[in-house]
């Protein structure tokens, strides 16, 4: 633990380290997170390293080496870190240096020096070199030596992967203050905006990355986040969207230049196609059409073509639908309904695609806000969400002692009881059967909690009864009146089933009132007065409630003991 | 709701039940509100004690 820097000397940044891209950000003195561009001017820095005659290339420069120097170029290595060789999926690395087994870890055989020989460089060393370059870019920009960082990781990153990343970072001169989950970082990036309002809400973070997609359902209660469910998919990804374009342009090429052959069958041609298709995809997120052009694509033939967004949306349809299914699946896994979700945060580079936002939004009610550049003017750049969150967290904890951070991350602190039902008051009637439930504390709120709400009282005033009850959310499905069906012959039963699907169900959120917790009498309330209710729920489930007429004095205070557990 | 006739409770408050069981979940150790929460837990303070400082 001697490598720890004195907290006063720390210069901490946020790092998002991805398979495809990494980024770095810092928090300015005004408390605003800003993403740092490297010396090439890239804010999204490709996680690629390449060696030419002993010289190390990094980021965008290394990425372009995938065409002529693929064997000495390392890419898509993040998920290999801290893994057993047998458990990795080397598919994404097929077009670059292949991973090989090396003792207990994964290595790459590359020519990284001027000598004519290949060295086995472990994935840990590759990560160190990558992080060192990121660190020096950040140091150059800030004019200060960066020595600490908060790093984002996927939610299913194991302890051994984190350990490996931590020691690789240490080698690069970076003290990892904390690992934070990518989706939580995205939520934090939104909540840290000065105009953001903290409300209790349930949201979905859908991260569509280059080689994988992660969807997470998060309950945000008073600025504290709890992950309810997460799904990961390595088949639905941005590289599959690239593939759709690769196939399209390859076919167009073959149509025009039969003799030149299929560019997908030649490694170098395929690498060229791949790079160009990714930039075409990016261009289609901004403009309505994009140009594709590669010099000497295959057989020495140049190829140029254009594609418009409608065509691309059509080609990628299956993948967009698959992504929507993934999001719906995550909501299901959290045992929630789309109606429970108030916001969807789209993260990851592919969330720039307008069709992605449209497809995901279509699976949710109109009340659900989709935060993506094409659907919301206030959306943050989806590629920058994780790194911004990391930078904010870094600025919050950089003055803490390492021991303090460690203690705060302990399960004693982070594991806490969460309410299984919502707690609120009954309005209109004291009777469970026809009262209206007004939720004050939502389900899945971590304890202890304190919430205040204002409720209305009967118009005539006088003495009122306030009943504190539990409520659980139900989805009420109202089927429209079945249309009188025309008699149909047996053979077109297929049409019939389609008709049935078209009948739209009407779904709404209702509250089912559970057991009562307490009853309170407020006497002599003025006409049309409002009552302020404040409830405190402690970890042992004891409830302290305070009921007070607004503008009145006194009020009633009471306590309900929690069940001994 | 209107207070029914003959309702009585000590100091006008009557506990009638308790909350149902909770689920233990892990909260994400991120953001200013978590840090405030962690500070309270580690020093075993309540909300109001924390506010006084």
């Amino acid at each position: 633990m001697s490598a720890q820097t004195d907290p006063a000397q720390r210069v901490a940044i946020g790092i998002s380290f991805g398979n495809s891209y990494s980024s770095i950000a810092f928090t300015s003195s005004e408390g605003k997170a800003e993403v740092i561009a490297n010396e090439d001017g890239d804010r999204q820095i490709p996680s690629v390293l390449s060696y030419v005659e002993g010289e190390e290339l990094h980021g965008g420069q290394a990425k372009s080496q995938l065409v002529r120097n693929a064997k000495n170029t390392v890419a898509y290595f993040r998920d290999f870190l801290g893994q057993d060789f047998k458990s990795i999926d080397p598919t994404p690395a097929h077009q670059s240096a292949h991973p090989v087994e090396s003792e207990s870890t994964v290595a790459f055989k590359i020519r990284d020096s001027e000598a004519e020989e290949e060295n086995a460089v472990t994935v840990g060393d590759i990560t160190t070199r990558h992080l060192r370059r990121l660190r020096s870019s950040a140091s150059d920009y800030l004019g200060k030596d960066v020595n600490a960082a908060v790093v984002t990781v996927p939610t299913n990153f194991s302890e051994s992967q984190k350990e490996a990343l931590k020691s690789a970072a240490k080698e690069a001169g970076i003290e990892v203050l904390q690992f934070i989950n990518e989706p939580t970082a995205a939520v934090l990036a939104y909540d840290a905006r000065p105009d953001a309002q903290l409300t209790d809400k349930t949201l979905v973070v859908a991260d569509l990355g280059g080689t994988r997609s992660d969807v997470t359902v998060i309950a945000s209660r008073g600025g504290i986040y709890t992950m309810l469910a997460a799904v990961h998919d390595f088949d639905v990804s941005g590289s599959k969207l690239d593939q759709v374009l690769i196939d399209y342009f390859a076919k167009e090429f073959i149509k025009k230049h039969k003799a030149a052959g299929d560019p997908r069958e030649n490694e170098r041609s395929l690498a060229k196609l791949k790079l160009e298709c990714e930039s075409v995809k990016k261009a289609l997120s901004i403009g309505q059409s994009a140009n594709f052009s590669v010099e000497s694509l295959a057989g020495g033939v140049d190829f140029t073509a254009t594609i418009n967004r409608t065509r691309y949306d059509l080609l990628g349809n299956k993948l967009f639908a698959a992504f929507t299914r993934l999001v719906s699946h995550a909501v299901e896994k959290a045992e929630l309904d789309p109606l429970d979700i108030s916001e969807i945060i789209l993260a990851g580079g592919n969330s720039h695609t307008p069709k992605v936002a449209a497809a995901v939004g279509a699976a949710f009610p109109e009340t659900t806000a989709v935060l993506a550049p094409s659907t919301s003017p206030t959306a943050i750049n989806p590629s920058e969400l994780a790194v911004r969150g990391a930078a904010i967290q870094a600025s919050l904890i950089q003055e803490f002692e390492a021991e303090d951070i460690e203690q705060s991350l302990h399960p004693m602190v982070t594991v806490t009881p969460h309410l299984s039902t919502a707690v609120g008051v009954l309005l209109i009637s004291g009777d469970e059967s026809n009262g209206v439930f007004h939720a004050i504390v939502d389900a899945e709120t971590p304890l202890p909690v304190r919430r205040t709400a204002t409720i209305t009282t009967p118009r005539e005033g006088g003495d009122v009864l306030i009943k504190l009850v539990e409520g659980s959310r139900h989805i009420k499905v109202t089927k429209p009146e079945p249309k009188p069906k025309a008699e149909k012959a047996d053979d077109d039963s297929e049409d019939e089933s389609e008709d049935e699907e078209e009948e739209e169900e009407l779904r709404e959120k209702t509250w089912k009132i559970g057991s009562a917790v307490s009853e309170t009498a407020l006497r002599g309330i003025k006409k049309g007065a409002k009552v302020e209710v404040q409830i405190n729920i402690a970890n042992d489930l004891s409830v302290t409630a305070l009921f007070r007429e607004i503008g009145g004095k006194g009020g009633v205070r009471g306590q309900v003991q929690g069940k001994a557990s | 709701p209107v207070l029914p006739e003959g309702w009585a409770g000590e100091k006008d408050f009557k506990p009638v039940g308790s909350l149902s069981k909770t689920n233990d979940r892990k909260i994400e150790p991120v953001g200013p509100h978590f840090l405030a929460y962690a500070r309270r837990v580690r020093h075993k303070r309540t909300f109001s004690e924390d506010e006084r400082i």
Side-chain angles (χ1 to χ4, degrees), chain A residues 288-350:
Chain A
Q288 285 294 337
S289 70
N291 285 316
F292 172 98
S293 98
V294 176
E295 264 175 51
S296 174
L297 177 56
V301 182
D302 296 354
F303 185 60
T304 48
T306 55
I307 184 168
N308 62 24
R309 194 186 277 172
T310 320
R311 161 83 55 187
Y312 168 58
D313 286 350
L314 219 60
L315 291 169
N317 229 339
K318 261 191 191 155
L319 278 158
F320 300 135
F323 188 56
T324 308
R325 270 201 303 279
L326 205 61
V327 175
S328 305
H329 176 58
V331 174
E332 245 168 63
K333 199 175 164 192
E335 292 171 15
L336 293 173
D337 187 89
L339 283 166
D340 293 318
I341 308 298
S342 39
E343 266 173 33
I344 301 168
I345 294 178
L346 285 183
N350 292 289

Side-chain angles (χ1 to χ4, degrees), chain A residues 364-502:
Chain A
F364 286 83
E366 275 170 30
T367 47
T368 307
V370 179
L371 297 173
S374 63
T375 52
S376 160
T378 58
I380 301 174
N381 181 344
S383 307
E384 296 180 351
L385 282 169
V387 77
R388 281 174 186 270
I392 292 157
Q393 180 71 3
S395 77
L396 290 172
I397 63 173
Q398 76 172 330
E399 262 125 60
F400 289 14
E401 301 281 346
E403 199 187 328
D404 277 350
I405 301 170
E406 189 101 346
Q407 279 182 16
S408 298
L409 302 183
H410 195 273
M412 284 286 281
V413 176
T414 56
V415 176
T416 181
H418 285 59
L419 287 180
S420 51
T421 58
V423 178
V425 291
L426 273 187
L427 302 180
I428 298 180
S429 162
D431 189 7
E432 277 91 356
S433 58
N434 55 4
V436 174
F437 182 75
H438 177 87
I440 296 177
V441 189
D442 235 330
E444 302 301 351
T445 300
L447 301 179
V449 65
R450 175 165 70 187
R451 286 286 183 280
T452 312
T454 310
I455 55 168
T456 51
T457 54
R459 225 165 277 134
E460 61 273 23
D463 297 349
V464 297
L465 173 77
I466 298 173
K467 222 170 171 177
L468 205 60
V469 293
E470 291 193 320
S472 42
R473 190 270 300 143
H474 278 256
I475 300 294
K476 193 170 131 197
V477 182
T478 340
K479 283 220 170 96
E481 291 284 305
K483 290 182 202 111
K485 264 188 205 136
E487 288 292 313
K488 273 182 182 169
D490 286 345
D491 57 353
D492 56 20
S493 57
E494 225 173 278
D495 291 356
E496 214 168 345
S497 62
E498 268 173 32
D499 283 353
E500 270 165 29
E501 275 171 8
E502 273 169 32

Side-chain angles (χ1 to χ4, degrees), chain A residues 178 180-181 184 188 198 225 227 393 404 407-409 413-414 416-418 420 444 450 463-465 470 517-521 523 559-560 563, chain B residues 1-3 7 11-35 37-38 42 47 51:
Chain A
Q178 189 188 348
I180 65 173
N181 289 326
T184 331
L188 184 60
L198 273 186
Y225 315 116
M227 208 188 303
Q393 180 71 3
D404 277 350
Q407 279 182 16
S408 298
L409 302 183
V413 176
T414 56
T416 181
H418 285 59
S420 51
E444 302 301 351
R450 175 165 70 187
D463 297 349
V464 297
L465 173 77
E470 291 193 320
V517 178
S518 75
E519 291 178 355
T520 309
R523 295 176 200 274
Q559 198 178 13
V560 181
K563 241 187 263 175
Chain B
V2 180
L3 189 70
W7 187 93
K11 283 183 181 163
D12 281 347
F13 185 84
K14 187 165 79 178
V16 288
S18 56
L19 294 173
S20 30
K21 269 183 67 186
T22 51
N23 310 320
D24 273 348
R25 289 183 189 273
K26 192 170 174 292
I27 58 180
E28 293 287 298
V30 165
H33 299 272
F34 168 79
L35 293 173
Y37 161 83
R42 288 172 50 208
F47 281 111
E51 273 166 14

